[in-house]
Amino acid sequence: MGDFETWSYLRKEYLPGEYHLLFEAIDKHCEMHHQFPSFDDLKLSIRHPATKDKVYAVESIEVDIEPAILLEYLKNEYTQKEILNSLDRYIDNSVLFASAEESVQELHQIVLDIEEKVDLETPQESMQRIHLIEPQEELSKHIGLGLNTLYDQDITFGPRDLILVGGRRGSGKSITCANVANNIFQSGKSAIYFTIEMDSRAILQRCCSIATGVPFSRIRSGNLTNVEWEKVAWWQASRFVNGQERLLEYKKSEQRDYNAFHHKLTTQHELLPTQQLDVIYDPGLTIAKIRAELDKKVDRIGASVIIVDYIKQVKRSHIPSRGGQYDWTEQIEVSKALKSMAQEYECAVFSPYQTDATGEARFAKGILDAADAAYALETWDQEDKCITFNCVKMRSATMKSFSSTMDWESLKIGPETALTPKQRDEISHKSDEEIHDL
């Protein structure tokens, strides 16, 4: 006895039930005295006869195996038993009645539950060899949000970051998500977009409007001019391999039949392999469903950002919690899970959350704990044509806020900087000399 590091990774559940009281006795001694107990310490402190017998039994055993190897054996055995027990329960209760989708989600939920019970930490990088400067390969994975050019010059986000943006209902949270997704796509990379309240078509319509400048309301109604149809066709063609061939046909055609163009494009061409807007619509989105999709797609399409719209509607599992999606403990766990995904899949995660009138996170301020950066949206009247992102948390850079132009017809945010009404009012009251200084 005495390997404190190995003990710190041992969980009571890894041991047979009859050893749980002995584990608790050792753990209590370590917590009180900050050192491992000797066998004599345990014999004196334990009064439970059966547990004291376990101390004598353990003392009599000579083990010539490294503690770390024993720990790995216990952990592997426990994990295998948990998997088999979970599968047995699933087969007994669900396998005959579940659909294919439910079966896949249930299996991913089993994985999530076991991950919580078992330490699966990756080995830490050697302090002797770790490089102070981040490798160029890692730096190339950093992304800007694309919402403000000047801001992106100073602040980018790494492939393990969780970025949250808060706002009241109708303040532009989902519009911000669509802008980020479109900006990533336009930069030649891929975005995976999980949507709960709007379907996949609505998200793609928003992204198309942002990219082309065609008013969103006109795209949604299909009431477009010839020039606007051409812009929409260009955007669609840009998503497919050799899509420009179909676009050229469309432009030369006298009929300009967009439906015929779309049919040829989607049946004769594949989506770009590593530059995609992949939208997954699921009103009952769970962490397990997100992981199932990411397992299939992150590496295949080379995703640079995962967007989850939005955090307070995601369920930790399909089993209802006591407080529903507004249970603060559920929301904090979802936030932690999104951060874990960013680290596991090495892909930045972007997600909105709902705020109250004061700009604080509704129901659960703790959802910001896992975030690397968080912003609170401040919206102005539509005629002001600007939107402000107030930085409320920044883990590895300066806390800087920014305001960008906002086109409410095309839903495009930035990338130009905009003056807010407050700033314009301040400038109007300054002298010419002060304005020149500014």
Side-chain angles (χ1 to χ4, degrees), residues 321-350:
S321 66
R322 289 183 180 179
Q325 73 250 37
Y326 298 113
D327 179 0
W328 64 271
T329 56
E330 179 92 351
Q331 294 171 22
I332 291 173
E333 289 304 314
V334 170
S335 178
K336 289 179 180 177
L338 294 182
K339 173 60 180 177
S340 295
M341 288 179 200
Q343 295 171 314
E344 179 181 345
Y345 295 98
E346 296 191 352
C347 187
V349 175
F350 186 91

Side-chain angles (χ1 to χ4, degrees), residues 160-211:
R160 299 176 186 86
D161 287 343
L162 170 62
I163 309 112
L164 302 180
V165 59
R168 297 188 299 276
R169 185 171 298 168
S171 61
K173 299 187 297 294
S174 293
I175 291 174
T176 302
C177 289
N179 272 269
V180 171
N182 176 71
N183 295 335
I184 292 297
F185 174 75
Q186 295 297 333
S187 70
K189 301 176 181 179
S190 293
I192 301 178
Y193 193 127
F194 293 92
T195 173
I196 298 170
E197 296 183 329
M198 291 183 294
D199 61 24
S200 301
R201 179 183 286 110
I203 300 301
L204 288 177
Q205 287 174 342
R206 287 188 169 198
C207 291
C208 179
S209 178
I210 292 164

Side-chain angles (χ1 to χ4, degrees), residues 237-401:
S238 71
R239 299 173 54 226
F240 290 82
V241 177
N242 297 325
Q244 299 304 315
E245 295 177 5
R246 299 283 81 82
L247 179 63
L248 190 60
E249 285 182 6
Y250 174 75
K251 287 182 176 180
K252 290 181 178 179
S253 171
E254 293 183 4
Q255 292 81 18
R256 291 287 182 103
D257 187 339
Y258 178 82
N259 289 330
F261 155 79
H262 182 268
H263 177 74
K264 284 186 178 180
L265 184 68
T266 55
T267 57
Q268 299 178 19
H269 298 262
E270 297 292 329
L271 288 167
L272 295 172
T274 57
Q275 183 186 0
Q276 291 190 20
L277 276 172
D278 195 306
V279 184
I280 300 99
Y281 168 59
D282 188 344
L285 191 64
T286 63
I287 292 296
K289 176 61 181 294
I290 293 174
R291 282 187 174 276
E293 293 292 334
L294 296 181
D295 285 342
K296 292 185 292 185
K297 296 177 179 179
V298 167
D299 290 334
R300 179 170 60 81
I301 68 175
S304 293
V305 68
I306 300 161
I307 297 171
V308 181
D309 185 12
Y310 67 101
I311 193 170
K312 290 189 177 179
Q313 294 287 351
V314 179
K315 302 171 185 174
R316 193 196 165 279
S317 72
H318 63 275
I319 301 172
S321 66
R322 289 183 180 179
Q325 73 250 37
Y326 298 113
D327 179 0
W328 64 271
T329 56
E330 179 92 351
Q331 294 171 22
I332 291 173
E333 289 304 314
V334 170
S335 178
K336 289 179 180 177
L338 294 182
K339 173 60 180 177
S340 295
M341 288 179 200
Q343 295 171 314
E344 179 181 345
Y345 295 98
E346 296 191 352
C347 187
V349 175
F350 186 91
S351 184
Y353 64 95
Q354 198 171 0
T355 62
D356 58 23
T358 66
E360 296 282 358
R362 288 188 70 193
F363 307 112
K365 296 178 184 179
I367 64 174
L368 301 186
D369 292 347
D372 296 282
Y375 302 88
L377 283 174
E378 186 175 1
T379 53
W380 310 90
D381 293 336
Q382 289 200 9
E383 56 266 26
D384 294 319
K385 297 183 178 180
C386 71
I387 187 169
T388 299
F389 292 79
N390 291 313
C391 184
V392 295
K393 181 178 180 182
M394 183 64 69
R395 182 163 283 160
S396 57
T398 306
M399 284 186 61
K400 292 175 60 178
S401 303

Side-chain angles (χ1 to χ4, degrees), residues 30-239:
C30 291
E31 186 176 342
M32 291 178 62
H33 303 287
H34 306 290
Q35 63 180 15
F36 244 94
S38 65
F39 284 110
D40 289 337
D41 291 331
L42 292 174
K43 293 171 187 174
L44 290 171
S45 62
I46 295 174
R47 290 180 170 79
H48 187 257
T51 305
K52 186 174 288 190
D53 289 342
K54 291 288 188 299
V55 176
Y56 284 99
V58 172
E59 186 181 22
S60 65
I61 298 173
E62 290 187 9
V63 179
D64 192 24
I65 302 175
E66 290 293 324
I69 296 175
L70 285 173
L71 172 64
E72 193 67 21
Y73 169 79
L74 287 171
K75 183 168 69 173
N76 292 343
E77 184 181 44
Y78 170 76
T79 303
Q80 290 161 8
K81 287 181 179 178
E82 282 296 305
I83 291 172
L84 291 174
N85 290 337
S86 297
L87 289 175
D88 284 342
R89 288 193 295 270
Y90 166 65
I91 291 170
D92 290 341
N93 300 326
S94 306
V95 73
L96 296 178
F97 312 103
S99 65
E101 184 178 4
E102 289 171 338
S103 296
V104 171
Q105 288 200 43
E106 184 66 30
L107 290 174
H108 276 272
Q109 189 62 47
I110 290 173
V111 172
L112 281 174
D113 292 339
I114 292 174
E115 281 182 348
E116 284 192 355
K117 297 176 181 178
V118 182
D119 278 322
L120 298 174
E121 294 184 0
T122 55
Q124 297 298 307
E125 191 167 359
S126 167
M127 287 296 101
Q128 179 175 328
R129 296 190 299 273
I130 188 170
H131 201 297
L132 182 63
I133 307 301
E134 196 168 2
Q136 190 59 42
E137 182 182 354
E138 289 295 310
L139 289 173
S140 66
K141 296 179 182 178
H142 283 234
I143 61 168
L145 299 179
L147 305 173
N148 188 288
T149 301
L150 294 177
Y151 192 81
D152 288 347
Q153 290 174 2
D154 293 332
I155 296 178
T156 58
F157 297 99
R160 299 176 186 86
D161 287 343
L162 170 62
I163 309 112
L164 302 180
V165 59
R168 297 188 299 276
R169 185 171 298 168
S171 61
K173 299 187 297 294
S174 293
I175 291 174
T176 302
C177 289
N179 272 269
V180 171
N182 176 71
N183 295 335
I184 292 297
F185 174 75
Q186 295 297 333
S187 70
K189 301 176 181 179
S190 293
I192 301 178
Y193 193 127
F194 293 92
T195 173
I196 298 170
E197 296 183 329
M198 291 183 294
D199 61 24
S200 301
R201 179 183 286 110
I203 300 301
L204 288 177
Q205 287 174 342
R206 287 188 169 198
C207 291
C208 179
S209 178
I210 292 164
T212 61
V214 177
F216 170 67
S217 60
R218 295 174 67 83
I219 292 178
R220 187 170 57 177
S221 66
N223 181 26
L224 306 178
T225 65
N226 287 336
V227 172
E228 289 171 340
W229 276 120
E230 190 170 307
K231 289 180 179 180
V232 170
W234 164 83
W235 184 80
Q236 275 285 63
S238 71
R239 299 173 54 226

